[in-house]
Amino acid sequence: MSAGKRQDSLGSSLDSSLEQVALHALEAVRKAGATQADVLLVEGDDRDVRVRGPEIEFVKQAQGRGLGIRALVAGPGGMRTAIVSTSDLAPQTVERMAHEAVALARETAPDPLAGLPDSGFADDRPDGLPHLELYDPADRDVPIAARIEDARRAEAAARSADPRIANSEGSQASSGFARIVYANSQGFVGDYESASHGLFSEPIAQDAGGMQRDHWSTSARRLRDLEDAAQVGRTAARRALRRLGAKRVATCEVPVLFDSRTAPSLIGQLASCANGYSIYRQSSFLEGRMGDRIASELVTLVDDGRLPGGLGSKPFDGEGLATRRNVIVQGGRLESWLLDHYSARKLGLASTGSASRGTGSAPRAGTTNLWLEPGAKTLEELIAEIDRGLLVTELIGMGFNPITGDYSRGAAGLWIERGEIVHAVEEITIASRMQDMLLAIDRVGGELDWHGRTASPPIRIASMMVAGS
């Protein structure tokens, strides 16, 4: 078997033994009788620390390797498919798992649309992808003591911010490193290395009226791109303090402003409804709406697997296809689904390079780095424009029906009167239909802060039902 195209997103040589394991597994499953096959090998090194007050609650480090083998066996009616996975990379174990994958595949139902892509595989040169900024090699040398110190700094800053910070749920720092090798029987072999780092703080504020908690976090591919640890703690404390004195409000219909921490939930739900699997299964309110105006003209939704430094960035997707920029909604008009090879074939389209996959699961379409294009105004300016309304800072529950678009979620936030925040709000529910919410977006803020793989500036919806007392 040809090794095909090999790329290293960092321009450095990864552990060649990992590639050899992947190639051995691929050869073994082919010899066992697979018509087509692919393998995914993931090596991870995760470090996690938590401090609470002056005490270190835990320090964890976990290392592991996982190999997934997918066998596709041709027969009457189409390909039969099975996936097996193992953490034992010994040659005899890999060969046994390869035979089991083929045997299991022969017992499954045929699917005329199953199969690997024929083309579109990533072919970037090894020196052509450092701009993805997936990790900094120097971060591997940072001792665990430095991450403990980060957590301690965040915790100390949160607890010293105000006398009303009475306690905390702790502050946590994490670092994870991964090596990924993917190979398939179409001749593609690719690998890359990545990292992710995070810092989280969750203080508790208390006054005569009771206790409130809130949090703040930062995450990045490189340690140097994290927000300062002390600032994380101070921001978390400020958010907890502003929730003191929270009360319910009378049921009303008012403008609702989602901040940059809650707005990503909305666009994530919208993207899930544009997923090819939801479309061909007719389980999305967007089914049949391609090309239609589904949102305010202020809405442009982008998913880009090659955003430099993005936590979802990667040189190729879960099927070896080149990742790319996909504009899902442009100026309010639905422009694209998110597709892997299978969902694309079901819909008579081409993959958008959006396949994601674990070692024990088949590829599925998903997002990489998803964001809503920002506007110009700050959150403070958006608040100043509201005569009476709600700023949502926390969403509770999963009350969204992707088929009907019905939306109803518990929420907490801040009440606005005459352009100013007057008190915190809790124990309320906000409700509408996603179709109506998207069309009623009349303001999009200018602050696009990344705290994960999905980001959104503040979004104002002209009118929603707020159910309170």
Side-chain angles (χ1 to χ4, degrees), residues 247-252 254 256 389-396 408-415 423-431 465-469:
K247 61 185 74 172
R248 299 175 73 184
V249 294
T251 297
C252 55
V254 294
V256 173
L390 173 69
L391 170 62
V392 178
T393 61
E394 182 180 15
L395 290 166
I396 304 163
S408 178
R409 298 189 66 180
L414 303 169
W415 192 250
H423 62 77
V425 179
E426 64 182 1
E427 296 182 10
I428 58 172
T429 300
I430 55 175
M465 180 62 67
V466 176
S469 57

Side-chain angles (χ1 to χ4, degrees), residues 314-332:
K314 50 191 175 184
F316 53 85
D317 74 355
E319 297 175 303
L321 301 186
T323 50
R324 70 187 203 191
R325 176 186 173 95
N326 293 300
V327 179
I328 302 169
V329 179
Q330 176 72 56

Side-chain angles (χ1 to χ4, degrees), residues 193-392:
E193 191 162 6
S194 66
S196 62
H197 308 278
L199 183 62
F200 174 92
S201 184
E202 187 175 13
I204 297 171
Q206 183 174 8
D207 65 6
M211 299 171 60
Q212 294 285 350
R213 61 109 192 105
D214 210 321
H215 69 276
W216 191 250
S217 64
T218 178
S219 56
R221 288 288 196 182
R222 302 177 299 187
L223 279 170
R224 67 176 179 268
D225 294 331
L226 290 176
E227 190 175 335
D228 177 71
Q231 185 59 45
V232 170
R234 287 191 292 268
T235 302
R238 177 179 57 80
R239 290 172 64 89
L241 289 164
R242 71 183 186 179
R243 295 184 67 161
L244 291 172
K247 61 185 74 172
R248 299 175 73 184
V249 294
T251 297
C252 55
E253 195 166 337
V254 294
V256 173
L257 178 61
F258 293 82
D259 70 4
S260 62
R261 282 302 181 118
T262 54
S265 171
L266 295 180
I267 68 166
Q269 288 166 330
L270 174 57
S272 71
C273 291
N275 186 295
Y277 285 81
S278 298
I279 299 306
Y280 83 71
R281 290 170 177 164
Q282 298 182 324
S283 58
S284 167
F285 75 91
L286 294 179
E287 195 267 331
R289 299 294 308 278
M290 181 58 65
D292 292 351
R293 182 179 174 227
I294 63 161
S296 159
E297 63 182 11
L298 300 175
V299 175
T300 293
L301 184 61
V302 180
D303 186 74
D304 190 348
R306 297 209 171 190
L307 180 70
L311 289 168
S313 294
K314 50 191 175 184
F316 53 85
D317 74 355
E319 297 175 303
L321 301 186
T323 50
R324 70 187 203 191
R325 176 186 173 95
N326 293 300
V327 179
I328 302 169
V329 179
Q330 176 72 56
R333 196 169 299 279
L334 183 60
E335 298 285 348
S336 176
W337 310 126
L338 291 175
L339 304 168
D340 66 353
H341 180 62
Y342 184 81
S343 60
R345 292 186 73 179
K346 290 284 284 188
L347 295 170
L349 301 169
S351 171
T352 57
S354 303
S356 60
R357 172 181 179 186
T359 56
S361 61
R364 287 291 184 269
T367 60
T368 53
N369 303 294
L370 177 72
W371 75 88
L372 184 71
E373 288 283 5
K377 293 188 176 183
T378 66
L379 178 62
E380 289 72 22
E381 289 172 325
L382 297 180
I383 292 171
E385 293 180 352
I386 297 176
D387 182 60
R388 181 170 178 264
L390 173 69
L391 170 62
V392 178

